[in-house]
């Protein structure tokens, strides 16, 4: 029966002022225990690599109270925190009621949030900020199907975009909060939810050349 040899090579190590060795271990030969219980592989490995186990602190370390300064006290309280709304992704958040007295998002805030949604861009129409997304689909039937899928998502969110079929194979959606004359967080939440709609079966198929 064929056997496989595992050879462990260690770098050249200075043992003393007169002796140098470069040990090469044959696993099958060296990983055995002699009659007196001595294991060459384990012993030599400890000599070269040192002790990996934990050690007790030195008296000087205890006197300096290094544990309290560096490692913390033994009775440190550990808490598991539930992520707040801001830590959740936009698609996981719910739309909130918007007061007409609320100010719309600034351009800077909109620029930060637009990075969290894919395929959407900010447009400015007569001073009103909106976000817009455009889909190029396979045909008119696919456009209608996409609108149906968007409708199911936004119905549960309670915040609705303007959707247009511009061409037989092109759909455009726009989001903004008309009651405040601009963008709100709800617009980006709905955009993120729309991003999760499956569209791979609606887009034009890639042409494969022979």
């Amino acid at each position: 029966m064929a056997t496989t040899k595992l050879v462990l090579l260690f770098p050249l190590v200075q043992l003393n002022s007169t002796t140098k060795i470069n040990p090469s271990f044959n696993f099958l030969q060296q990983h055995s225990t002699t009659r007196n219980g001595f294991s060459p592989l384990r012993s030599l490995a400890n000599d070269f690599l040192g002790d990996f186990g934990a050690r007790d602190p030195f008296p000087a370390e205890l006197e300096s109270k290094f544990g309290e300064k560096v490692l913390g006290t033994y009775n440190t309280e550990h808490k598991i925190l539930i992520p707040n709304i801001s830590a959740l992704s936009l698609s996981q958040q719910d739309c909130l009621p918007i007061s007409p007295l609320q100010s719309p998002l600034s351009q800077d805030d909109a620029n930060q949030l637009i990075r969290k949604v894919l395929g959407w861009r900010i447009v400015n129409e007569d001073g009103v900020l909106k976000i817009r997304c455009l889909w190029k689909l396979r045909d008119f039937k696919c456009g209608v199907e996409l609108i149906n899928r968007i409708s199911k998502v936004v119905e549960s969110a309670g915040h609705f975009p303007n959707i247009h079929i511009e061409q037989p194979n092109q759909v455009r959606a726009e989001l903004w909060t008309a009651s405040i004359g601009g963008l709100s967080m709800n617009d980006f939440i709905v955009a993120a939810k729309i991003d999760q709609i499956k569209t791979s079966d609606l887009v034009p198929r890639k042409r494969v050349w022979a």
Side-chain angles (χ1 to χ4, degrees), residues 35-55:
R35 287 177 298 177
N36 60 1
F38 177 73
S39 174
L41 178 60
R42 183 171 63 252
S43 177
L44 288 173
N46 286 340
D47 290 339
F48 290 115
L49 301 179
D51 185 5
F52 286 98
R55 64 170 176 83

Side-chain angles (χ1 to χ4, degrees), residues 1-192:
M1 181 178 64
T3 60
T4 302
K5 292 184 178 180
L6 175 63
V7 178
L8 304 178
L9 297 178
F10 289 85
L12 187 65
V13 177
Q14 179 76 39
L15 294 181
N16 52 48
S17 58
T18 60
T19 305
K20 294 182 179 180
I21 67 170
N22 187 3
S24 175
F25 296 102
N26 184 308
F27 185 82
L28 295 178
Q29 296 176 357
Q30 297 292 342
H31 191 56
S32 58
T33 304
T34 59
R35 287 177 298 177
N36 60 1
F38 177 73
S39 174
L41 178 60
R42 183 171 63 252
S43 177
L44 288 173
N46 286 340
D47 290 339
F48 290 115
L49 301 179
D51 185 5
F52 286 98
R55 64 170 176 83
D56 293 332
F58 297 120
E61 291 175 334
L62 292 175
E63 293 177 3
S64 67
K65 296 182 179 180
F66 76 102
E68 296 180 5
K69 297 177 182 179
V70 180
L71 303 179
T73 58
Y74 68 92
N75 61 349
T76 300
E77 183 179 2
H78 298 275
K79 296 181 180 180
I80 299 177
L81 301 178
I82 300 174
N84 55 28
I85 292 179
S86 62
L88 298 175
S89 66
L90 287 174
S91 62
Q92 295 176 299
Q93 299 183 31
D94 296 324
C95 294
L96 300 176
I98 301 296
S99 169
L101 302 178
Q102 179 177 325
S103 300
L105 295 175
S106 65
Q107 181 75 57
D108 291 340
D109 291 338
N111 290 338
Q112 292 294 326
L113 288 170
I114 200 65
R115 301 175 183 175
K116 300 179 180 294
V117 290
L118 301 176
W120 296 79
R121 63 188 182 91
I122 301 174
V123 295
N124 189 325
E125 292 186 352
D126 301 326
V128 177
L129 294 181
K130 303 178 181 180
I131 55 176
R132 177 183 297 167
C133 189
L134 188 68
W135 293 268
K136 291 186 178 181
L137 307 167
R138 197 161 57 242
D139 50 34
F140 180 80
K141 184 178 179 180
C142 291
V144 174
E145 175 61 25
L146 175 60
I147 293 175
N148 290 334
R149 295 180 187 182
I150 293 175
S151 299
K152 293 179 181 179
V153 170
V154 300
E155 185 177 1
S156 60
H159 191 72
F160 305 95
N162 280 6
I163 305 178
H164 309 272
I165 296 182
E166 296 185 334
Q167 299 177 14
N169 65 335
Q170 189 166 290
V171 172
R172 173 170 55 91
E174 290 180 344
L175 279 162
W176 79 98
T177 306
S179 61
I180 61 175
L183 292 170
S184 68
M185 182 64 72
N186 288 349
D187 299 309
F188 292 93
I189 291 174
V190 172

